[in-house]
Amino acid sequence: MKRIARTALIATVGLGAVLVVQAPASAYGPTANSLGCRIYFSDTGAGSSPSTWADTFTLTQSPAKPAPGAKVTVSLTAAAGTTNGPVPLDAGSVPVIVTVGIAGSQTGTVTLNQPTYPAAATAAYAKLGGFTATGSFTAGAAGDLTLTVKQVKFANTTASTYCSAEGDRDHKAAPADTTIVQAVPVVDSGIAVTGISGQTVTDSARAGNTISWKVSGLAASATLTAQLKDSSGGGTGEGAGTGTTDATGAGTGTLAVPTGATAGKRTLVVTDGTDALSVPITILGTPKITLSPAAGGAGTTTTVKGTDFNPGSSITVRGYQALTGAPPPPATSDAAVSATAGTDGSFAAAYTVNDKATAYLGALSGSLYALSAWSMSADACTAATGTTCNLTFQLSQTVNAGSLSMSRGSGGSTITFSGITLNGSAQTATAALPAINVTDFRGSTLPWSLTAKVTDFTGVPGGTIAGSALTVTPSCGAHAGATNAVTAVAGDAGVSLGGDGATICSGPDGKTALTGGSFDAAGDLSLAVPANVFAGTYAATLTLTLG
């Protein structure tokens, strides 16, 4: 029943605030209007809870004047939406489905959808919020047609609310067309580029060229403007073209491609101020060439590839010497090669470099040119009869530094001292610090040291033995089988490990000599146990630091 109650509350509608929408020319709305609604709990039987839904509606289509065969996107916007009933609604629990009738030069219907309504969870008796439902159809032959909102359905898996023209009727089975109606002219319009100055094609232009165009199906006797926009027909316009139409809506005009125009795939957009027509066009950038390879000895053949030349133009490829005076650089003695730019302004040509004075390869087409550096290589040579030629190699070996590290030679991380039985006198407990292997593979003159520091001993169930009671007699030597650059030095004997601790082992400062190697550090530990302490088990932490 709770699911049913959430569906039933859609039938309660009310007047919402007016939403100002910037609509295209001839769009319906934003206009206040009222629809009649009923809720249906099954596919049979009349609906219940007749109500009136007052709102501000906008019906639009894009493009405003579609051409035959064009995709037409239709949108219905309700500014405020319905008012919720007594039970909260979950977000997205009531998708909106709108049926729009198509009449006139073509007939049929188009379904608009808003699948995520309401946009957020909505409390009881709160506005569900505005929505925009969208769908599309394909325009038929030229002529006038109308779009009429026939029915709005608030769909829920348990029950749905159907709305059509205001009135107490069966809005599901017998909807009445609403007065939300939009006129749509389908116009046989078009645009074409008729010529481009400086080019032999009509789909590519560069800065300084003038594009001539013609249009049809725009407003009669109108002043036209033209700009270059991005490949989708949007973005910031470039250029300021003009033109006019005659009494039939046909016209012509021109646009001069401005200096600095964005190169690449672009769109020429022509508008009469209300409707716009567009045609793809490529704006050519600065010509450039690439070489593969870009270096070689005498006799090397390289592939020269160029882009952004005028489509269909003739191109001369040749070598050039280094520039020593005013440009252009002098040509080399190697023969030139001819090429022709393709429809996209690109070309590829094979060129053989023999002249050792070659510093550049270049491509020239009328006033357009591009250079790319060439490096005569020492990696190839030709020995003339009776002579020799030489190739040299530079050898390189990288020696990467290792690390300064330590590890336990054997055993675990626990050191157990000899046991003590209290007898009224101070006694000494002993233990051994297991071997610690120190490796210095840094390949440097840096010194190192291994130090030890202990905390106070804490007894269980009680008692304390100061860390200063622990002393060490360290030892340090070469690890078995190691080849060491220096001899490690053991720290002083009998030094307390409490307080600042003591040095176990260290490597000397080599200054200008290597100090690396592998060493084993160990030590004998002595713990002075006072005559009067609590009996129990005592524990402390011994920390070894390598640096």
Side-chain angles (χ1 to χ4, degrees):
M1 292 301 294
K2 184 176 182 180
R3 185 69 172 274
I4 295 175
R6 287 194 173 195
T7 306
L9 54 85
I10 292 296
T12 302
V13 294
L15 179 62
V18 175
L19 177 67
V20 178
V21 179
Q22 184 62 44
S26 302
Y28 174 93
T31 300
N33 207 322
S34 296
L35 304 185
C37 305
R38 281 180 181 267
I39 188 168
Y40 294 80
F41 290 93
S42 66
D43 291 334
T44 61
S48 61
S49 302
S51 59
T52 299
W53 169 26
D55 210 331
T56 297
F57 298 94
T58 303
L59 180 65
T60 63
Q61 90 283 341
S62 179
K65 295 181 179 180
K71 176 183 177 181
V72 182
T73 299
V74 182
S75 298
L76 175 68
T77 297
T82 64
T83 299
N84 199 1
V87 179
L89 269 178
D90 295 332
S93 62
V94 188
V96 181
I97 303 171
V98 181
T99 302
V100 176
I102 305 172
S105 58
Q106 73 181 95
T107 58
T109 60
V110 55
T111 301
L112 317 184
N113 290 280
Q114 171 50 273
T116 56
Y117 186 74
T122 306
Y125 301 113
K127 285 291 185 182
L128 293 177
F131 66 82
T132 297
T134 303
S136 64
F137 71 96
T138 301
D144 294 325
L145 55 84
T146 57
L147 302 178
T148 301
V149 175
K150 303 177 74 67
Q151 188 180 70
V152 179
K153 176 184 178 182
F154 295 95
N156 183 280
T157 56
T158 301
S160 296
T161 297
Y162 290 80
C163 307
S164 63
E166 186 175 6
D168 187 11
R169 64 173 63 85
D170 186 347
H171 294 284
K172 176 180 183 299
D177 290 352
T178 72
T179 55
I180 304 173
V181 180
Q182 163 72 350
V184 182
V186 179
V187 180
D188 192 3
S189 58
I191 181 173
V193 175
T194 57
I196 301 175
S197 65
Q199 301 293 336
T200 58
V201 295
T202 58
D203 59 359
S204 296
R206 68 173 63 254
N209 292 164
T210 296
I211 304 171
S212 298
W213 41 265
K214 66 178 181 179
V215 295
S216 61
L218 292 180
S221 304
T223 297
L224 307 178
T225 59
Q227 286 187 310
L228 295 171
K229 296 194 175 184
D230 64 25
S231 59
S232 66
T236 302
E238 297 175 337
T242 59
T244 57
T245 59
D246 58 21
T248 68
T252 60
T254 59
L255 179 140
V257 181
T259 301
T262 303
K265 299 297 183 182
R266 306 284 286 166
T267 304
L268 173 66
V269 179
V270 177
T271 178
D272 59 11
T274 300
D275 299 310
L277 299 173
S278 62
V279 61
I281 193 166
T282 297
I283 300 302
L284 302 166
T286 302
K288 51 185 174 292
I289 60 171
T290 59
L291 312 178
S292 181
T300 300
T301 297
T302 182
T303 299
V304 183
K305 292 184 177 181
T307 57
D308 286 293
F309 284 83
N310 290 341
S313 62
S314 297
I315 298 168
T316 300
V317 178
R318 69 177 313 150
Y320 295 90
Q321 301 177 32
L323 183 63
T324 57
T332 65
S333 60
D334 293 334
V337 172
S338 297
T340 301
T343 56
D344 61 352
S346 66
F347 76 89
Y351 187 84
T352 301
V353 179
N354 289 301
D355 193 327
K356 293 183 178 181
T358 303
Y360 302 96
L361 294 187
L364 178 66
S365 178
S367 61
L368 301 175
Y369 68 92
L371 294 176
S372 187
W374 172 265
S375 177
M376 287 302 296
S377 175
D379 294 336
C381 70
T382 300
T385 303
T387 65
T388 61
C389 67
N390 300 305
L391 293 177
T392 61
F393 291 90
Q394 299 298 318
L395 305 182
S396 175
Q397 170 64 51
T398 299
V399 178
N400 296 312
S403 61
L404 175 65
S405 61
M406 65 175 173
S407 62
R408 295 187 180 94
S410 62
S413 60
T414 300
I415 299 174
T416 303
F417 283 79
S418 59
I420 290 292
T421 301
L422 295 174
N423 59 11
S425 299
Q427 300 182 65
T428 300
T430 61
L433 174 65
I436 302 298
N437 180 225
V438 177
T439 56
D440 180 11
F441 298 143
R442 294 174 293 176
S444 70
T445 61
L446 298 174
W448 57 268
S449 65
L450 177 66
T451 61
K453 182 178 180 180
V454 71
T455 64
D456 290 340
F457 287 76
T458 302
V460 177
T464 300
I465 300 175
S468 58
L470 181 65
T471 60
V472 63
T473 299
S475 62
C476 189
H479 185 73
T483 302
N484 297 336
V486 294
T487 299
V489 179
D492 294 335
V495 177
S496 172
L497 295 179
D500 294 333
T503 298
I504 304 299
C505 186
S506 62
D509 186 347
K511 298 188 183 300
T512 59
L514 289 173
T515 59
S518 178
F519 311 90
D520 288 334
D524 295 327
L525 301 175
S526 296
L527 178 63
V529 181
N532 295 302
V533 293
F534 285 103
T537 301
Y538 287 78
T541 299
L542 177 66
T543 301
L544 298 179
T545 302
L546 177 64

PDB file of all heavy atoms in Angstrom, residues 4-5 7-13 35-41 46-53 86 160-163 167-169 171:
ATOM      1  N   ILE A   4       1.679   2.154  -3.526  1.00  0.00           N
ATOM      2  CA  ILE A   4       0.515   2.740  -4.192  1.00  0.00           C
ATOM      3  C   ILE A   4       0.317   4.176  -3.756  1.00  0.00           C
ATOM      4  O   ILE A   4       0.044   5.062  -4.560  1.00  0.00           O
ATOM      5  CB  ILE A   4      -0.739   1.895  -3.898  1.00  0.00           C
ATOM      6  CG1 ILE A   4      -0.582   0.494  -4.530  1.00  0.00           C
ATOM      7  CG2 ILE A   4      -1.997   2.587  -4.392  1.00  0.00           C
ATOM      8  CD1 ILE A   4      -1.699  -0.440  -4.194  1.00  0.00           C
ATOM      9  N   ALA A   5       0.501   4.435  -2.464  1.00  0.00           N
ATOM     10  CA  ALA A   5       0.301   5.805  -1.968  1.00  0.00           C
ATOM     11  C   ALA A   5       1.295   6.761  -2.600  1.00  0.00           C
ATOM     12  O   ALA A   5       0.968   7.884  -2.945  1.00  0.00           O
ATOM     13  CB  ALA A   5       0.443   5.821  -0.445  1.00  0.00           C
ATOM     14  N   THR A   7       2.507   6.585  -5.536  1.00  0.00           N
ATOM     15  CA  THR A   7       2.096   6.850  -6.906  1.00  0.00           C
ATOM     16  C   THR A   7       0.884   7.758  -6.955  1.00  0.00           C
ATOM     17  O   THR A   7       0.782   8.674  -7.769  1.00  0.00           O
ATOM     18  CB  THR A   7       1.784   5.524  -7.615  1.00  0.00           C
ATOM     19  OG1 THR A   7       2.930   4.669  -7.482  1.00  0.00           O
ATOM     20  CG2 THR A   7       1.496   5.759  -9.075  1.00  0.00           C
ATOM     21  N   ALA A   8      -0.041   7.552  -6.045  1.00  0.00           N
ATOM     22  CA  ALA A   8      -1.296   8.299  -6.073  1.00  0.00           C
ATOM     23  C   ALA A   8      -1.094   9.775  -5.836  1.00  0.00           C
ATOM     24  O   ALA A   8      -1.836  10.600  -6.348  1.00  0.00           O
ATOM     25  CB  ALA A   8      -2.237   7.736  -5.019  1.00  0.00           C
ATOM     26  N   LEU A   9      -0.064  10.148  -5.137  1.00  0.00           N
ATOM     27  CA  LEU A   9       0.085  11.555  -4.791  1.00  0.00           C
ATOM     28  C   LEU A   9       0.419  12.427  -5.995  1.00  0.00           C
ATOM     29  O   LEU A   9       0.358  13.641  -5.921  1.00  0.00           O
ATOM     30  CB  LEU A   9       1.155  11.735  -3.706  1.00  0.00           C
ATOM     31  CG  LEU A   9       2.546  11.129  -3.964  1.00  0.00           C
ATOM     32  CD1 LEU A   9       3.386  12.073  -4.755  1.00  0.00           C
ATOM     33  CD2 LEU A   9       3.211  10.794  -2.639  1.00  0.00           C
ATOM     34  N   ILE A  10       0.763  11.811  -7.130  1.00  0.00           N
ATOM     35  CA  ILE A  10       1.046  12.610  -8.321  1.00  0.00           C
ATOM     36  C   ILE A  10      -0.177  13.385  -8.772  1.00  0.00           C
ATOM     37  O   ILE A  10      -0.098  14.433  -9.394  1.00  0.00           O
ATOM     38  CB  ILE A  10       1.540  11.699  -9.463  1.00  0.00           C
ATOM     39  CG1 ILE A  10       2.927  11.139  -9.112  1.00  0.00           C
ATOM     40  CG2 ILE A  10       1.633  12.446 -10.770  1.00  0.00           C
ATOM     41  CD1 ILE A  10       3.964  12.212  -9.009  1.00  0.00           C
ATOM     42  N   ALA A  11      -1.365  12.898  -8.459  1.00  0.00           N
ATOM     43  CA  ALA A  11      -2.581  13.546  -8.935  1.00  0.00           C
ATOM     44  C   ALA A  11      -2.787  14.920  -8.317  1.00  0.00           C
ATOM     45  O   ALA A  11      -3.563  15.725  -8.822  1.00  0.00           O
ATOM     46  CB  ALA A  11      -3.790  12.677  -8.638  1.00  0.00           C
ATOM     47  N   THR A  12      -2.089  15.229  -7.229  1.00  0.00           N
ATOM     48  CA  THR A  12      -2.250  16.534  -6.595  1.00  0.00           C
ATOM     49  C   THR A  12      -1.308  17.525  -7.262  1.00  0.00           C
ATOM     50  O   THR A  12      -0.095  17.375  -7.183  1.00  0.00           O
ATOM     51  CB  THR A  12      -1.911  16.445  -5.095  1.00  0.00           C
ATOM     52  OG1 THR A  12      -2.776  15.464  -4.519  1.00  0.00           O
ATOM     53  CG2 THR A  12      -2.092  17.773  -4.418  1.00  0.00           C
ATOM     54  N   VAL A  13      -1.848  18.489  -7.987  1.00  0.00           N
ATOM     55  CA  VAL A  13      -1.017  19.441  -8.707  1.00  0.00           C
ATOM     56  C   VAL A  13      -1.405  20.847  -8.311  1.00  0.00           C
ATOM     57  O   VAL A  13      -2.475  21.102  -7.766  1.00  0.00           O
ATOM     58  CB  VAL A  13      -1.172  19.270 -10.241  1.00  0.00           C
ATOM     59  CG1 VAL A  13      -0.633  17.934 -10.683  1.00  0.00           C
ATOM     60  CG2 VAL A  13      -2.628  19.414 -10.656  1.00  0.00           C
ATOM     61  N   LEU A  35      -3.610  21.607 -17.397  1.00  0.00           N
ATOM     62  CA  LEU A  35      -3.938  20.283 -17.894  1.00  0.00           C
ATOM     63  C   LEU A  35      -4.794  19.564 -16.851  1.00  0.00           C
ATOM     64  O   LEU A  35      -4.716  19.845 -15.654  1.00  0.00           O
ATOM     65  CB  LEU A  35      -2.673  19.462 -18.157  1.00  0.00           C
ATOM     66  CG  LEU A  35      -1.637  20.067 -19.113  1.00  0.00           C
ATOM     67  CD1 LEU A  35      -0.512  19.075 -19.354  1.00  0.00           C
ATOM     68  CD2 LEU A  35      -2.268  20.479 -20.425  1.00  0.00           C
ATOM     69  N   GLY A  36      -5.630  18.639 -17.339  1.00  0.00           N
ATOM     70  CA  GLY A  36      -6.415  17.808 -16.436  1.00  0.00           C
ATOM     71  C   GLY A  36      -5.736  16.464 -16.256  1.00  0.00           C
ATOM     72  O   GLY A  36      -5.160  15.922 -17.200  1.00  0.00           O
ATOM     73  N   CYS A  37      -5.772  15.915 -15.047  1.00  0.00           N
ATOM     74  CA  CYS A  37      -5.046  14.687 -14.747  1.00  0.00           C
ATOM     75  C   CYS A  37      -5.913  13.713 -13.947  1.00  0.00           C
ATOM     76  O   CYS A  37      -6.816  14.123 -13.207  1.00  0.00           O
ATOM     77  CB  CYS A  37      -3.779  15.000 -13.936  1.00  0.00           C
ATOM     78  SG  CYS A  37      -2.667  16.198 -14.716  1.00  0.00           S
ATOM     79  N   ARG A  38      -5.635  12.422 -14.103  1.00  0.00           N
ATOM     80  CA  ARG A  38      -6.227  11.372 -13.276  1.00  0.00           C
ATOM     81  C   ARG A  38      -5.148  10.314 -13.018  1.00  0.00           C
ATOM     82  O   ARG A  38      -4.269  10.107 -13.858  1.00  0.00           O
ATOM     83  CB  ARG A  38      -7.422  10.704 -13.967  1.00  0.00           C
ATOM     84  CG  ARG A  38      -8.733  11.494 -13.916  1.00  0.00           C
ATOM     85  CD  ARG A  38      -9.833  10.723 -14.636  1.00  0.00           C
ATOM     86  NE  ARG A  38     -11.090  11.425 -14.632  1.00  0.00           N
ATOM     87  CZ  ARG A  38     -12.043  11.256 -13.734  1.00  0.00           C
ATOM     88  NH1 ARG A  38     -11.849  10.384 -12.742  1.00  0.00           N
ATOM     89  NH2 ARG A  38     -13.174  11.923 -13.799  1.00  0.00           N
ATOM     90  N   ILE A  39      -5.257   9.649 -11.896  1.00  0.00           N
ATOM     91  CA  ILE A  39      -4.332   8.577 -11.558  1.00  0.00           C
ATOM     92  C   ILE A  39      -4.984   7.238 -11.847  1.00  0.00           C
ATOM     93  O   ILE A  39      -6.194   7.061 -11.650  1.00  0.00           O
ATOM     94  CB  ILE A  39      -3.898   8.668 -10.080  1.00  0.00           C
ATOM     95  CG1 ILE A  39      -2.789   7.661  -9.806  1.00  0.00           C
ATOM     96  CG2 ILE A  39      -5.051   8.480  -9.115  1.00  0.00           C
ATOM     97  CD1 ILE A  39      -2.105   7.870  -8.484  1.00  0.00           C
ATOM     98  N   TYR A  40      -4.188   6.236 -12.352  1.00  0.00           N
ATOM     99  CA  TYR A  40      -4.701   4.925 -12.743  1.00  0.00           C
ATOM    100  C   TYR A  40      -3.875   3.856 -12.038  1.00  0.00           C
ATOM    101  O   TYR A  40      -2.645   3.813 -12.163  1.00  0.00           O
ATOM    102  CB  TYR A  40      -4.613   4.735 -14.274  1.00  0.00           C
ATOM    103  CG  TYR A  40      -5.525   5.675 -15.012  1.00  0.00           C
ATOM    104  CD1 TYR A  40      -5.146   6.999 -15.231  1.00  0.00           C
ATOM    105  CD2 TYR A  40      -6.759   5.249 -15.493  1.00  0.00           C
ATOM    106  CE1 TYR A  40      -5.978   7.881 -15.894  1.00  0.00           C
ATOM    107  CE2 TYR A  40      -7.596   6.125 -16.159  1.00  0.00           C
ATOM    108  CZ  TYR A  40      -7.209   7.436 -16.359  1.00  0.00           C
ATOM    109  OH  TYR A  40      -8.030   8.300 -17.026  1.00  0.00           O
ATOM    110  N   PHE A  41      -4.580   2.981 -11.297  1.00  0.00           N
ATOM    111  CA  PHE A  41      -3.911   1.935 -10.545  1.00  0.00           C
ATOM    112  C   PHE A  41      -3.824   0.629 -11.320  1.00  0.00           C
ATOM    113  O   PHE A  41      -3.244  -0.331 -10.851  1.00  0.00           O
ATOM    114  CB  PHE A  41      -4.624   1.696  -9.208  1.00  0.00           C
ATOM    115  CG  PHE A  41      -4.444   2.853  -8.260  1.00  0.00           C
ATOM    116  CD1 PHE A  41      -5.381   3.882  -8.206  1.00  0.00           C
ATOM    117  CD2 PHE A  41      -3.330   2.919  -7.442  1.00  0.00           C
ATOM    118  CE1 PHE A  41      -5.208   4.950  -7.342  1.00  0.00           C
ATOM    119  CE2 PHE A  41      -3.159   3.981  -6.573  1.00  0.00           C
ATOM    120  CZ  PHE A  41      -4.095   5.004  -6.515  1.00  0.00           C
ATOM    121  N   ALA A  46     -11.604   3.333 -15.024  1.00  0.00           N
ATOM    122  CA  ALA A  46     -11.403   4.779 -15.091  1.00  0.00           C
ATOM    123  C   ALA A  46     -10.444   5.220 -13.998  1.00  0.00           C
ATOM    124  O   ALA A  46     -10.316   4.600 -12.953  1.00  0.00           O
ATOM    125  CB  ALA A  46     -12.738   5.496 -14.952  1.00  0.00           C
ATOM    126  N   GLY A  47      -9.785   6.338 -14.235  1.00  0.00           N
ATOM    127  CA  GLY A  47      -8.862   6.881 -13.252  1.00  0.00           C
ATOM    128  C   GLY A  47      -9.593   7.545 -12.104  1.00  0.00           C
ATOM    129  O   GLY A  47     -10.787   7.830 -12.158  1.00  0.00           O
ATOM    130  N   SER A  48      -8.852   7.797 -11.048  1.00  0.00           N
ATOM    131  CA  SER A  48      -9.419   8.445  -9.870  1.00  0.00           C
ATOM    132  C   SER A  48      -8.700   9.745  -9.603  1.00  0.00           C
ATOM    133  O   SER A  48      -7.713  10.087 -10.258  1.00  0.00           O
ATOM    134  CB  SER A  48      -9.303   7.498  -8.668  1.00  0.00           C
ATOM    135  OG  SER A  48      -7.939   7.204  -8.404  1.00  0.00           O
ATOM    136  N   SER A  49      -9.182  10.486  -8.611  1.00  0.00           N
ATOM    137  CA  SER A  49      -8.580  11.739  -8.160  1.00  0.00           C
ATOM    138  C   SER A  49      -8.409  12.750  -9.288  1.00  0.00           C
ATOM    139  O   SER A  49      -7.307  13.187  -9.608  1.00  0.00           O
ATOM    140  CB  SER A  49      -7.208  11.466  -7.525  1.00  0.00           C
ATOM    141  OG  SER A  49      -7.315  10.569  -6.456  1.00  0.00           O
ATOM    142  N   PRO A  50      -9.507  13.133  -9.962  1.00  0.00           N
ATOM    143  CA  PRO A  50      -9.373  14.157 -11.020  1.00  0.00           C
ATOM    144  C   PRO A  50      -8.822  15.452 -10.428  1.00  0.00           C
ATOM    145  O   PRO A  50      -9.201  15.865  -9.331  1.00  0.00           O
ATOM    146  CB  PRO A  50     -10.803  14.318 -11.532  1.00  0.00           C
ATOM    147  CG  PRO A  50     -11.668  13.833 -10.412  1.00  0.00           C
ATOM    148  CD  PRO A  50     -10.912  12.739  -9.747  1.00  0.00           C
ATOM    149  N   SER A  51      -7.883  16.064 -11.137  1.00  0.00           N
ATOM    150  CA  SER A  51      -7.249  17.284 -10.637  1.00  0.00           C
ATOM    151  C   SER A  51      -6.809  18.139 -11.809  1.00  0.00           C
ATOM    152  O   SER A  51      -6.789  17.701 -12.959  1.00  0.00           O
ATOM    153  CB  SER A  51      -6.051  16.937  -9.747  1.00  0.00           C
ATOM    154  OG  SER A  51      -5.116  16.177 -10.471  1.00  0.00           O
ATOM    155  N   THR A  52      -6.448  19.358 -11.483  1.00  0.00           N
ATOM    156  CA  THR A  52      -5.951  20.299 -12.490  1.00  0.00           C
ATOM    157  C   THR A  52      -4.495  20.630 -12.182  1.00  0.00           C
ATOM    158  O   THR A  52      -4.133  20.945 -11.046  1.00  0.00           O
ATOM    159  CB  THR A  52      -6.771  21.596 -12.494  1.00  0.00           C
ATOM    160  OG1 THR A  52      -8.123  21.269 -12.813  1.00  0.00           O
ATOM    161  CG2 THR A  52      -6.220  22.591 -13.507  1.00  0.00           C
ATOM    162  N   TRP A  53      -3.669  20.538 -13.219  1.00  0.00           N
ATOM    163  CA  TRP A  53      -2.238  20.849 -13.092  1.00  0.00           C
ATOM    164  C   TRP A  53      -1.975  22.162 -13.838  1.00  0.00           C
ATOM    165  O   TRP A  53      -1.999  22.207 -15.056  1.00  0.00           O
ATOM    166  CB  TRP A  53      -1.412  19.698 -13.657  1.00  0.00           C
ATOM    167  CG  TRP A  53       0.050  19.999 -13.834  1.00  0.00           C
ATOM    168  CD1 TRP A  53       0.801  20.885 -13.168  1.00  0.00           C
ATOM    169  CD2 TRP A  53       0.921  19.359 -14.788  1.00  0.00           C
ATOM    170  NE1 TRP A  53       2.094  20.868 -13.615  1.00  0.00           N
ATOM    171  CE2 TRP A  53       2.199  19.932 -14.614  1.00  0.00           C
ATOM    172  CE3 TRP A  53       0.750  18.371 -15.751  1.00  0.00           C
ATOM    173  CZ2 TRP A  53       3.294  19.549 -15.385  1.00  0.00           C
ATOM    174  CZ3 TRP A  53       1.848  17.979 -16.509  1.00  0.00           C
ATOM    175  CH2 TRP A  53       3.103  18.565 -16.324  1.00  0.00           C
ATOM    176  N   PRO A  86       0.817  13.327   0.132  1.00  0.00           N
ATOM    177  CA  PRO A  86       1.151  13.191   1.559  1.00  0.00           C
ATOM    178  C   PRO A  86       2.330  12.269   1.851  1.00  0.00           C
ATOM    179  O   PRO A  86       2.747  12.168   3.000  1.00  0.00           O
ATOM    180  CB  PRO A  86      -0.128  12.615   2.160  1.00  0.00           C
ATOM    181  CG  PRO A  86      -0.751  11.855   1.026  1.00  0.00           C
ATOM    182  CD  PRO A  86      -0.451  12.643  -0.205  1.00  0.00           C
ATOM    183  N   SER A 160       0.170   5.049 -12.619  1.00  0.00           N
ATOM    184  CA  SER A 160       0.596   6.180 -13.441  1.00  0.00           C
ATOM    185  C   SER A 160      -0.485   7.244 -13.444  1.00  0.00           C
ATOM    186  O   SER A 160      -1.678   6.953 -13.331  1.00  0.00           O
ATOM    187  CB  SER A 160       0.881   5.731 -14.879  1.00  0.00           C
ATOM    188  OG  SER A 160       1.957   4.822 -14.911  1.00  0.00           O
ATOM    189  N   THR A 161      -0.020   8.496 -13.601  1.00  0.00           N
ATOM    190  CA  THR A 161      -0.950   9.612 -13.727  1.00  0.00           C
ATOM    191  C   THR A 161      -0.922  10.097 -15.175  1.00  0.00           C
ATOM    192  O   THR A 161       0.149  10.311 -15.748  1.00  0.00           O
ATOM    193  CB  THR A 161      -0.554  10.758 -12.779  1.00  0.00           C
ATOM    194  OG1 THR A 161      -0.648  10.283 -11.433  1.00  0.00           O
ATOM    195  CG2 THR A 161      -1.469  11.954 -12.964  1.00  0.00           C
ATOM    196  N   TYR A 162      -2.119  10.251 -15.792  1.00  0.00           N
ATOM    197  CA  TYR A 162      -2.241  10.696 -17.174  1.00  0.00           C
ATOM    198  C   TYR A 162      -2.871  12.083 -17.192  1.00  0.00           C
ATOM    199  O   TYR A 162      -3.857  12.338 -16.485  1.00  0.00           O
ATOM    200  CB  TYR A 162      -3.108   9.724 -17.984  1.00  0.00           C
ATOM    201  CG  TYR A 162      -2.450   8.393 -18.229  1.00  0.00           C
ATOM    202  CD1 TYR A 162      -2.440   7.413 -17.247  1.00  0.00           C
ATOM    203  CD2 TYR A 162      -1.843   8.117 -19.450  1.00  0.00           C
ATOM    204  CE1 TYR A 162      -1.841   6.179 -17.471  1.00  0.00           C
ATOM    205  CE2 TYR A 162      -1.246   6.888 -19.690  1.00  0.00           C
ATOM    206  CZ  TYR A 162      -1.249   5.923 -18.699  1.00  0.00           C
ATOM    207  OH  TYR A 162      -0.662   4.706 -18.938  1.00  0.00           O
ATOM    208  N   CYS A 163      -2.310  12.955 -18.013  1.00  0.00           N
ATOM    209  CA  CYS A 163      -2.828  14.318 -18.142  1.00  0.00           C
ATOM    210  C   CYS A 163      -3.008  14.659 -19.608  1.00  0.00           C
ATOM    211  O   CYS A 163      -2.176  14.309 -20.452  1.00  0.00           O
ATOM    212  CB  CYS A 163      -1.870  15.326 -17.494  1.00  0.00           C
ATOM    213  SG  CYS A 163      -1.432  14.959 -15.778  1.00  0.00           S
ATOM    214  N   GLY A 167     -10.150  19.145 -18.075  1.00  0.00           N
ATOM    215  CA  GLY A 167     -11.524  18.650 -18.121  1.00  0.00           C
ATOM    216  C   GLY A 167     -11.637  17.340 -17.371  1.00  0.00           C
ATOM    217  O   GLY A 167     -10.648  16.622 -17.194  1.00  0.00           O
ATOM    218  N   ASP A 168     -12.851  17.011 -16.916  1.00  0.00           N
ATOM    219  CA  ASP A 168     -13.081  15.811 -16.133  1.00  0.00           C
ATOM    220  C   ASP A 168     -13.385  14.668 -17.086  1.00  0.00           C
ATOM    221  O   ASP A 168     -14.535  14.432 -17.452  1.00  0.00           O
ATOM    222  CB  ASP A 168     -14.229  16.034 -15.147  1.00  0.00           C
ATOM    223  CG  ASP A 168     -14.373  14.857 -14.187  1.00  0.00           C
ATOM    224  OD1 ASP A 168     -13.466  13.992 -14.170  1.00  0.00           O
ATOM    225  OD2 ASP A 168     -15.379  14.804 -13.475  1.00  0.00           O
ATOM    226  N   ARG A 169     -12.361  13.943 -17.525  1.00  0.00           N
ATOM    227  CA  ARG A 169     -12.537  12.866 -18.502  1.00  0.00           C
ATOM    228  C   ARG A 169     -11.539  11.759 -18.183  1.00  0.00           C
ATOM    229  O   ARG A 169     -10.714  11.859 -17.270  1.00  0.00           O
ATOM    230  CB  ARG A 169     -12.305  13.374 -19.922  1.00  0.00           C
ATOM    231  CG  ARG A 169     -10.868  13.863 -20.163  1.00  0.00           C
ATOM    232  CD  ARG A 169     -10.622  14.210 -21.629  1.00  0.00           C
ATOM    233  NE  ARG A 169     -11.476  15.306 -22.044  1.00  0.00           N
ATOM    234  CZ  ARG A 169     -11.180  16.592 -21.868  1.00  0.00           C
ATOM    235  NH1 ARG A 169     -10.057  16.921 -21.232  1.00  0.00           N
ATOM    236  NH2 ARG A 169     -11.983  17.531 -22.277  1.00  0.00           N
ATOM    237  N   HIS A 171      -8.447  10.576 -18.936  1.00  0.00           N
ATOM    238  CA  HIS A 171      -7.271  11.119 -19.623  1.00  0.00           C
ATOM    239  C   HIS A 171      -6.313  10.038 -20.128  1.00  0.00           C
ATOM    240  O   HIS A 171      -5.431  10.334 -20.925  1.00  0.00           O
ATOM    241  CB  HIS A 171      -6.515  12.069 -18.688  1.00  0.00           C
ATOM    242  CG  HIS A 171      -7.290  13.298 -18.355  1.00  0.00           C
ATOM    243  ND1 HIS A 171      -7.444  14.341 -19.231  1.00  0.00           N
ATOM    244  CD2 HIS A 171      -7.984  13.643 -17.242  1.00  0.00           C
ATOM    245  CE1 HIS A 171      -8.184  15.291 -18.679  1.00  0.00           C
ATOM    246  NE2 HIS A 171      -8.530  14.888 -17.462  1.00  0.00           N
TER     247      HIS A 171
END
